Amino acid sequence: MKTKFDEELFLTTKTGRELYHKYAENLPIIDYHCHLQPVEIYENREFEDLGEMWLSGDHYKWRAMRTFGIDEKYITGDSSYHEKYLAFARIIPYLIGNPIYVWCALELKRYFDIEEPLSAENAEEVYQQTKEIIRRKHITRRWCMEHSRVKLVSTTEDPTDDLKYHIALKKEKMDTRVITAFRPDKAMFLEREDFPDYLNRLSQVSGVKIESFDSMLDALEIRLQFFRNATGTTVSDDGIPHFTWVDYSDAEIRDIFDKARKNWPLTQREVDQYQSAFLYEMGRRYCRNGYVMQLHIGTYLDANTTGVARVGQSTGFDCTDDQCAVTSVGELLNRLTIAGELPKTILYPLDGTKIETWAVLAAGFCGSDTKAKVQLGAPWWFNDQVYGIRRQFESCANLYPVSLSVGMLTDSRSFLSYPRHELYRRVLCDYFGDLVERGEYFSGEETLKQIIEDICFNNVNEFFGFHVEQQ
């Protein structure tokens, strides 16, 4: 029985092992969607310890710790990172089959060259060993990115952000280029109580007096252009938890917007009409400003309202939902196509059980003007583990060419999360190895090499127009 990290992890065939080690293993990383804080990249502090590296902001680990009944003070509370780490280390051996177990093993190996499994018995020894390595190597935020050969990273910011840290980072000599994604969700969720206050902030930073839906769109487009000019980004990102397409008239949207500005109550139909109009109009603006539209579909946010009230949002209380219909997103894409203003689009459905239907939808909106114009994104959030990745390869390659995929992202708040790209690449090469050894693919090694390099690096570089050099 193996008791150390295995360099052949997930590589179950001879062909898969050869493909991974020859072609995928050493490729650099483009991480085109994450939630790192640009201030942390700019300040570039040295990490305090492994507890901070693992447990500061990582809701995956927080959720797992809660399932074991660990007191919240060791999760998001005021305990020291050392204490939090020791609490987390105790459950690691019991996360069998969970991606957190593999992620942690990869992170210990890649950043600290530790191969032994972590447990309560050796937790303090590993803690002291990693702390000494952090100090000796001066492991900072940027060190992690450079060590992992991250060539580009895209954080995610609201349109009202001044991007001061991104602007400052452009002046720094870094191996990693830092851009951002334009995330206008707060302008879409008009039913929220803080919507009028948000419009005031947007008005202030854009210089546009927002008195109507159209003037709000003007303000957003000004900020869209500011984001591109400031960082060179071509990345947008819209979260659509419960999106239902409902037809609307201009007059109806004007009335709905006026009601929302006054915090008057809205019907669900009015919310749906507004969101339909908002996504359509933003899609048009993404298209004419050269942005890729990313749609993150089907989240059930803040499911445990008691937990959210106690420790805040985005802390491990969000879930998967299936209420966002393929037909609604399809109608959005259809209306943009009719208008001749469909931007490049990536769909991230969170309900992995319906991934095939989303793949078919994406293929239905591709055409002669752009390769893979609408496509599936990487298996997202709760699907970014071996089973979810493999499931997407096996189910969607039948319906949409996997060779056109823009590959993996971290979607993470952790600077240690880049081995998730390694996990994805291992599963990819293992999948291809299976096809070759079963006789289902026999077009030769050179073609496979090209496909692997495209999925892991070239496709995303071309799709977003990043112009990143491999070397």
Side-chain angles (χ1 to χ4, degrees):
M1 182 175 176
K2 294 176 181 177
T3 56
K4 288 188 176 183
F5 178 82
D6 186 354
E7 284 293 352
E8 306 309 321
L9 177 70
F10 303 129
L11 301 172
T12 61
T13 65
K14 179 176 181 293
T15 302
R17 289 190 289 272
E18 289 178 352
L19 292 174
Y20 175 73
H21 292 303
K22 288 175 71 174
Y23 304 125
E25 184 173 17
N26 295 315
L27 288 171
I29 289 171
I30 293 177
D31 196 40
Y32 56 98
H33 177 70
C34 74
H35 296 281
L36 296 178
Q37 295 301 308
V39 61
E40 292 191 46
I41 303 173
Y42 177 74
E43 293 176 347
N44 199 32
R45 286 193 306 106
E46 186 178 285
F47 285 100
E48 176 183 329
D49 58 15
L50 186 56
E52 181 189 13
M53 297 176 89
W54 267 354
L55 296 166
S56 174
D58 193 334
H59 54 77
Y60 287 92
K61 295 183 179 70
W62 296 345
R63 178 189 293 264
M65 293 171 78
R66 291 189 189 108
T67 64
F68 282 85
I70 293 174
D71 193 294
E72 192 68 32
K73 71 179 180 179
Y74 298 112
I75 303 173
T76 62
D78 57 5
S79 297
S80 69
Y81 280 124
H82 184 203
E83 293 173 311
K84 291 176 179 179
Y85 160 81
L86 291 175
F88 176 64
R90 288 197 298 271
I91 71 169
I92 281 285
Y94 301 98
L95 292 174
I96 183 170
N98 191 288
I100 294 174
Y101 183 91
V102 175
W103 291 342
C104 289
L106 281 167
E107 290 159 11
L108 286 173
K109 175 61 180 174
R110 296 297 172 237
Y111 296 104
F112 301 103
D113 201 29
I114 294 174
E115 298 183 334
E116 293 74 23
L118 182 62
S119 66
E121 287 71 28
N122 68 351
E124 184 61 33
E125 178 186 352
V126 169
Y127 178 84
Q128 297 299 336
Q129 183 180 351
T130 54
K131 189 161 186 173
E132 190 278 328
I133 293 172
I134 290 169
R135 298 294 174 265
R136 175 163 45 84
K137 293 188 176 182
H138 188 52
I139 295 182
T140 65
R141 274 66 175 171
R142 296 185 199 179
W143 185 95
C144 293
M145 294 191 290
E146 292 165 0
H147 182 76
S148 299
R149 297 193 67 212
V150 180
K151 293 298 182 180
L152 180 144
V153 64
S154 178
T155 63
T156 306
E157 267 68 50
D158 182 86
T160 61
D161 195 282
D162 61 12
L163 302 184
K164 66 179 180 180
Y165 294 110
H166 290 87
I167 293 168
L169 284 166
K170 284 182 71 174
K171 302 173 184 177
E172 302 271 325
K173 291 184 178 179
M174 292 176 56
D175 291 340
T176 305
R177 179 179 160 202
V178 183
I179 64 171
T180 186
F182 185 87
R183 182 82 179 230
D185 289 10
K186 290 181 180 179
M188 187 176 79
F189 296 128
L190 83 168
E191 72 277 20
R192 294 181 178 174
E193 187 176 341
D194 63 350
F195 182 70
D197 291 336
Y198 180 74
L199 293 181
N200 291 334
R201 294 198 304 275
L202 179 61
S203 177
Q204 185 176 11
V205 298
S206 65
V208 175
K209 188 175 183 180
I210 299 177
E211 296 180 322
S212 65
F213 181 64
D214 289 339
S215 57
M216 182 196 70
L217 292 171
D218 291 341
L220 287 169
E221 187 159 19
I222 286 172
R223 299 304 291 174
L224 195 69
Q225 292 163 354
F226 168 73
F227 270 47
R228 178 146 195 185
N229 292 333
T231 73
T233 187
T234 57
V235 186
S236 71
D237 185 25
D238 292 85
I240 48 175
H242 310 294
F243 170 57
T244 302
W245 179 275
V246 177
D247 286 336
Y248 55 87
S249 68
D250 292 342
E252 286 174 316
I253 297 302
R254 284 195 297 270
D255 290 343
I256 293 167
F257 184 85
D258 287 342
K259 289 172 69 175
R261 287 181 64 207
K262 300 170 184 174
N263 269 147
W264 289 3
L266 299 166
T267 66
Q268 186 59 53
R269 176 180 172 80
E270 288 173 325
V271 171
D272 292 338
Q273 285 180 303
Y274 175 85
Q275 292 185 350
S276 299
F278 181 85
L279 288 170
Y280 172 74
E281 293 297 340
M282 288 308 300
R284 296 176 64 206
R285 283 153 181 78
Y286 295 148
C287 184
R288 66 190 183 214
N289 287 282
Y291 274 72
V292 173
M293 179 168 68
Q294 296 187 105
L295 299 177
H296 283 85
I297 302 163
T299 51
Y300 175 16
L301 300 175
D302 303 337
N304 181 345
T305 56
T306 302
V308 171
R310 186 172 67 247
V311 298
Q313 292 181 312
S314 301
T315 55
F317 300 108
D318 300 325
C319 302
T320 304
D321 203 350
D322 62 354
Q323 294 187 45
C324 193
V326 173
T327 52
S328 289
V329 176
E331 191 56 34
L332 170 65
L333 301 180
N334 183 48
R335 297 298 177 95
L336 289 167
T337 301
I338 292 170
E341 294 181 284
L342 176 66
K344 293 180 182 178
T345 301
I346 305 178
L347 307 177
Y348 300 88
L350 195 52
D351 182 3
T353 63
K354 298 178 181 176
I355 193 71
E356 292 94 338
T357 58
W358 292 102
V360 173
L361 178 72
F365 285 93
C366 292
S368 60
D369 57 338
T370 305
K371 182 171 67 175
K373 185 169 186 175
V374 180
Q375 62 173 272
L376 287 174
W380 172 50
W381 201 343
F382 298 110
N383 301 308
D384 62 355
Q385 23 71 13
V386 175
Y387 172 73
I389 295 169
R390 182 86 185 205
R391 174 178 60 191
Q392 184 159 320
F393 288 149
E394 291 181 342
S395 61
C396 295
N398 296 296
L399 306 166
Y400 196 113
V402 68
S403 61
L404 301 179
S405 169
V406 294
M408 192 54 174
L409 45 78
T410 61
D411 188 38
S412 174
R413 292 165 173 80
S414 169
F415 285 87
L416 287 191
S417 61
Y418 298 110
R420 296 182 193 182
H421 285 262
E422 176 181 339
L423 187 151
Y424 177 92
R425 293 171 181 185
R426 287 174 176 271
V427 177
L428 174 70
C429 291
D430 188 62
Y431 169 62
F432 286 162
D434 279 348
L435 295 178
V436 170
E437 296 202 2
R438 293 202 304 263
E440 294 180 41
Y441 186 84
F442 43 90
S443 289
E445 188 171 338
E446 279 302 308
T447 307
L448 272 173
K449 171 181 180 293
Q450 186 63 57
I451 291 172
I452 290 167
E453 291 178 350
D454 286 348
I455 294 171
C456 297
F457 187 87
N458 296 330
N459 287 345
V460 64
N461 205 13
E462 177 184 349
F463 194 74
F464 285 93
F466 288 145
H467 306 293
V468 175
E469 297 291 335
Q470 268 204 36
Q471 301 305 319

